[in-house]
């Protein structure tokens, strides 16, 4: 399967969106803190990113693992840096 490419912010948002639509998480009213994806050398499957240290996920690790596994199979992290230098917004 060919992976789609997303920048770090969009990948983080996608994982968060998928987590927070799971019935058990919605039902318990839990807000899981999703970390930014970290670039790594492609693994055996070809995935070039990982996420570690999800916040407030105790008891929901199975769901985090399932979402992370699915997202890693579907997406790769782009090489472009999506962080903006605020000074450039003001022409400095």
């Amino acid at each position: 399967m060919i992976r789609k490419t997303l920048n770090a912010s969009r990948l983080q948002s996608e994982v968060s969106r998928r987590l927070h639509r799971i019935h058990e998480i919605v039902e318990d009213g839990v807000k899981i803190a999703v970390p930014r994806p970290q670039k790594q050398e492609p693994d055996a499957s070809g995935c070039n990113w990982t996420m570690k240290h999800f916040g407030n996920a105790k008891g929901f690790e199975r769901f985090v693992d399932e979402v992370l596994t699915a997202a890693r199979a579907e997406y790769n992290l782009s090489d472009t840096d999506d962080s903006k230098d605020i000074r450039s917004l003001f022409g400095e």
Side-chain angles (χ1 to χ4, degrees), residues 4-84:
K4 299 172 194 150
T5 303
L6 293 177
N7 66 31
S9 294
R10 292 192 60 205
L11 191 51
Q12 182 181 26
S13 293
E14 178 61 18
V15 170
S16 180
R17 184 188 68 78
R18 290 180 184 199
L19 275 174
H20 292 102
R21 71 177 188 190
I22 295 173
H23 177 74
E24 289 83 354
I25 292 173
V26 172
E27 190 174 79
D28 285 357
V30 175
K31 179 67 175 163
I32 296 174
V34 177
R36 289 189 57 87
Q38 300 299 309
K39 190 94 166 161
Q40 67 178 17
E41 289 298 317
D43 61 16
S45 73
C47 183
N48 70 347
W49 62 277
T50 190
M51 285 182 173
K52 297 179 183 175
H53 311 297
F54 285 76
N56 203 31
K58 187 161 179 84
F60 298 98
E61 295 88 352
R62 177 176 62 94
F63 299 114
V64 169
D65 288 342
E66 289 171 0
V67 166
L68 199 53
T69 298
R72 286 176 45 89
E74 191 173 340
Y75 298 104
N76 260 341
L77 183 59
S78 69
D79 290 328
T80 59
D81 181 15
D82 61 342
S83 62
K84 302 268 190 276

Side-chain angles (χ1 to χ4, degrees), residues 84-92:
K84 302 268 190 276
D85 183 351
I86 194 160
R87 292 174 296 176
S88 67
L89 295 175
F90 300 102
E92 295 176 13

